[in-house]
Amino acid sequence: MKSVIFPQWVALAAALCASLALPSLGQAQTNAEASGELLERRFCVFDPVGANGPLFAITKTFQPVALKSGIKLNLSAYTDEKVAAEDFKAGQCDAVLLTGTRAREFNKFTGSLEAMGAVPGEEEMRLLYNTLSQPKARPLLTDGPYEVAGVFPGGAIYLHTRDRSIDSVAKLQGKRIATLDYDQASVRMVRHVGASVVGSNSANFAGKFNNGSVDLAYAPAVAYAPLELYKGVEPNGAVVKYALGYMNFQVIIHRDRFPESAGQMVRDESIKRLDEAYEIIAQAEAEIPENVWMNLPQEDTAEYDKMLRKVRLSLLEDGVYDERAIKLMKAIRCRVDAARSECAS
């Protein structure tokens, strides 16, 4: 399972990365022919495994393609997502691949797309991606010197527990949860339910869960096998089948280092791969054993809905989330299910 899911998952992100060079090809070739020099661009790629990881390996396959078109694409692997973001901010990277949560500092709008409970399911997520791929959405995707050139799905984020008797919001009280300590939303949610925040990052949360340092962790299904989360779940735990939010990858560029049309062309490429992305996410979820999944009773689901909405609105009030993004996702929820109680307001 480990060798099947992870390469496919990261191949999708890598495909999005590869499309980054597409908009520049014509201009790059013209420049190369005129000056005899290659256009060099540095692309910083977050891969939890580093330069030997599957994401970085697949991204490398695009280098010869870009080279033929006059671009020398210099790839740099980062196992620490924070360092990748800081190097991009410092101008050492022309483009960077990050998770949506880490990308929030470069674009608050797209950084709000992972808002807890804001997207109930795949239908709503597809509508959201299609909306943001439209040319008229570009103003939402640019912020100062940065542009979000593409957003790609990583799948629903599920709570993983070492003890399947923890099956309600009330039972989370006092439990230790591996929490992305740089994400205000996650910290707020954990504290809201009375659980203990155990500061973690994308590189170490799985280890803490697997060795018992924490009672719970949260991650998409595509991380279950490659990060060996089954070691923490077995033998008495479970994966709670309730989407706390939806993970995404984002490619962010320095606007002044690429042609004006670059971002839109990358978005056009990424939307073409949306079906492929969801097929792989579905495969990852299907390969988690049926007995590992834990479905919540309707009353517990309603309690999670209420809790996430309260946290989401408090974060909006505090300026963590972008109001336009929250309103857009509400409009999409109501378009899919007009009977939702929130749609009356």
Side-chain angles (χ1 to χ4, degrees), residues 1-2 5-6 9 46-49 160 201-211 217-232 247:
M1 190 186 300
K2 184 175 181 178
I5 295 179
F6 198 38
W9 169 39
F46 167 60
D47 187 320
V49 185
H160 293 57
N201 57 44
S202 53
N204 63 26
F205 83 93
K208 292 181 179 182
F209 177 69
N210 293 340
N211 67 24
Y218 49 90
V222 289
Y224 185 80
L227 298 185
E228 301 181 332
L229 293 172
Y230 49 83
K231 290 184 176 180
M247 178 184 174

Side-chain angles (χ1 to χ4, degrees), residues 289-303:
E290 187 175 347
N291 67 309
V292 168
W293 288 107
M294 179 168 65
N295 293 299
L296 297 175
Q298 187 173 352
E299 58 270 22
D300 289 334
T301 297
E303 191 63 26

Side-chain angles (χ1 to χ4, degrees), residues 114-118 183 185-186 189 244-245 308-309 311-312 315 321:
E114 290 185 349
M116 297 173 182
D183 179 21
S186 298
M189 181 195 74
L244 295 172
L308 292 181
R309 183 173 186 273
V311 172
R312 185 170 67 245
L315 289 163
Y321 289 147

Side-chain angles (χ1 to χ4, degrees), residues 161-203:
T161 175
R162 294 175 60 87
D163 180 359
R164 66 186 306 124
S165 69
I166 304 172
D167 57 0
S168 67
V169 173
K171 291 181 181 179
L172 293 173
Q173 189 167 356
K175 298 299 185 290
R176 300 162 299 168
I177 302 181
T179 310
L180 298 180
D181 48 18
Y182 57 85
D183 179 21
Q184 296 179 59
S186 298
V187 172
R188 182 79 59 88
M189 181 195 74
V190 172
R191 289 177 175 165
H192 180 78
V193 299
S196 298
V197 171
V198 178
S200 308
N201 57 44
S202 53

